[in-house]
Amino acid sequence: MQTITIQKREIPLRFDMTAYEMIEARWEGYAEMLDALGARKTRSRTLCELIAIFGNAALIAQGREPDLTHDWVASNMSPRQRGEADRAVGAAIREGMRMEEDEEDQAPQDVVLEELEAKKNGA
């Protein structure tokens, strides 16, 4: 899981369905969020909002109360940290997208069905 440190507070970043729903509430959808992230005039604001969203999603997943806001992130993150934050948010999105694939890879197997198919195929 990606993390970013702001004002000595370590913030894990999690892109899951909770975060996705927060994105839909803020931008109407994932594509609109990507547009805002890609636009020069809105990139910094969008980045701060995504840190708050992904950080709050991680807190919720841990059973903790979400308390991050855009205003807190923006007022406590230095401009120098912007590049690090940009990379961490991108990595969190990629990890979240792979989370689904990882779960599919670990799907329960029907051993009996596999044995029947193997016998049917002459193995």
Side-chain angles (χ1 to χ4, degrees), residues 65-81:
E65 189 68 30
D67 64 352
L68 293 168
T69 65
H70 163 270
D71 292 339
W72 184 88
V73 173
S75 64
N76 289 287
M77 186 171 70
S78 72
R80 191 181 77 180
Q81 289 177 300

Side-chain angles (χ1 to χ4, degrees), residues 85-98:
D86 201 7
R87 288 185 292 280
V89 164
I93 292 171
R94 289 188 297 278
E95 285 175 6
M97 292 300 208
R98 282 194 307 267

Side-chain angles (χ1 to χ4, degrees), residues 1 4 6 11-30 33 45-61 65-73 89 92-93:
M1 180 177 299
I4 183 166
I6 301 174
I11 302 167
L13 303 177
R14 180 180 172 97
F15 179 55
D16 58 8
M17 282 307 297
T18 300
Y20 195 88
E21 289 173 356
M22 290 182 213
I23 287 169
E24 285 182 331
R26 169 58 183 94
W27 288 282
E28 295 186 24
Y30 183 75
M33 179 272 298
R45 179 170 185 78
T46 302
L47 185 62
C48 291
E49 289 179 6
L50 287 174
I51 290 168
I53 287 171
F54 292 172
N56 284 331
L59 291 170
I60 291 168
E65 189 68 30
D67 64 352
L68 293 168
T69 65
H70 163 270
D71 292 339
W72 184 88
V73 173
V89 164
I93 292 171

